[in-house]
Amino acid sequence: MLTKTSAPTSLAAGRIQHAGLAAKRMSAEQAAALIQPGWRVGMSGFTGAGYPKAVPLALAHRIEAAHAAGENFRIGLWTGASTAPELDGALAKVDGIDMRLPYQSDPTVRARINSGDMQYVDLHLSHVAQYVWFGFLGRLNVAVIEVAGILPDGRLVPSTSVGNNKTWIDLADHVILEVNSRQRAELEGMHDIYYGTALPPHRRPIPLFESGQRIGEPYLRCDPAKVIAVVETDAPDRNSKFAEPDANSNAIAEHIIDFLQHEVRHGRLPKELLPLQSGVGNIANAVLAGLNTGPFDNLTAFTEVLQDGMLDMLKSGKLKSASCTALSLSPEAAAYFDEHMAEFKSRIIIRPQEISNHPELIRRMGLIAMNAMIECDIYGNVNSTHVMGSSIMNGIGGSGDFARNAYLSIFMSPSTAKGGAISCIVPMASHVDHTEHDVQVIVTERGLADLRGLAPQQRARKVIDTCAHPDFREALHDYVERARASANGQHTPHLLTEALGWHERFLRTGSMKA
């Protein structure tokens, strides 16, 4: 058990120590008035951590008033990933977002995207920063970034996420800083901001060889001349509690841990495994809880988000170190983290997402990637973003960065959804985010299908027999046999007139069952 301690920080002398930037302090309403219609706005934030708390709300009120006066006022909104109701939700509610990227999870945003009222670019999270540097996405007019403090020389102490903040600050014409005194001063020193990236053809290898290694500096750099406003805030992150793992989640966790033990016995994994990457959610937390009581010691993590399960592993000592780009903790876990931050500081590293999700680093270190899916087809193609083919749920996030480049690529889901009306194992995925070429292992509560080295028809039998729910297994086998009898090609046989018939049946009747 960690003990509560504190350590002196540079911020003990105050949260805004740069005289010139202190002179730019203003209200959130005054700062929001500086943002113009049509601007592309890069905001901090990654899975509810480190997002600006005041300026987005003030901007939403301004947009609402403009719309009431008959004026057209919308912005392009770029972030690290999902944010919170005070940002995504508030701006979407007043129809203030024209284009959103690269990832979202807000219900109001989702509804506007699926109704066609908001454009959405769903990007691999490792691609975002470089696309902006390449000029692919246009000019970034202003960055709105939450920080924990400003040092006398203008360097910024990052908040509970880094995401794309480095790129937003570097490339935006203007910068608005929110200095949040609710974020603990002890965050100083936990971050690792790498400034060694370059554009092609001048790129050089990133000198990161172990997940716990630091290669950068603990601060964000910002030209004070670019800063047009400094807003003081005192508000918590969106610390949402995940659902407790259920029987399905625990069964999935058991299958994965048994599989990892099998790989160790056969010499394909070391006894301390390889660095772990885990998506967010109750299934992921169940897997991490299983690892925390499991047979593996001296584990490491190189992931996007550090959530409750990994914090518990750090507390117990099972996990030596964890590298991430953001924290995503329940209120209880966040309180524990705050009280024991000094002990965690040497073991948690928060990096830019262009490093945390970098494909070459993922391949070099040989990650074990575990991510959720919406559905998988019989040949191993995975849909992680769309419901019934055309409605976005959240986005691809970093799952593609990790799946294509990991040592082991694992996708997991319960075998059914909507009370058993939907099979998550289907004849053909209604949308494909991860092709069969990037998917090695499929896991449901029914079992684990190791697809490595299997041809398509072998994969189909394995997925159906191991992962599909019994209510749908016979129908899946029937589909495969009839496809083998009549498809014009036998490598990956499909019945094109029926391949998406299960989805069509659900939309028509409310169930995939015949």
Side-chain angles (χ1 to χ4, degrees), residues 271-273 291 294-300 317-320:
K271 63 181 181 179
E272 66 276 10
L273 304 182
L291 288 168
F296 310 110
D297 296 307
N298 297 313
L299 301 173
T300 60
K318 280 283 187 177
L319 193 64
K320 292 193 303 182

Side-chain angles (χ1 to χ4, degrees), residues 379-393:
Y379 296 117
N381 299 288
V382 165
N383 168 19
S384 61
T385 60
H386 284 69
V387 176
M388 297 297 138
S390 58
S391 294
I392 193 74
M393 177 55 71

Side-chain angles (χ1 to χ4, degrees), residues 334-380:
Y336 187 94
F337 173 76
D338 284 350
E339 292 176 2
H340 301 87
M341 197 174 293
E343 284 78 14
F344 285 125
K345 186 177 294 187
S346 64
R347 301 169 63 199
I348 295 175
I349 305 172
I350 308 178
R351 312 180 190 273
Q353 70 191 63
E354 61 186 299
I355 301 298
S356 69
N357 291 49
H358 197 288
E360 195 272 334
L361 298 177
I362 293 166
R363 179 168 292 191
R364 180 190 299 172
M365 288 185 279
L367 269 58
I368 299 172
M370 299 174 286
N371 289 286
M373 63 183 185
I374 290 175
E375 65 182 2
C376 172
D377 71 25
I378 55 178
Y379 296 117

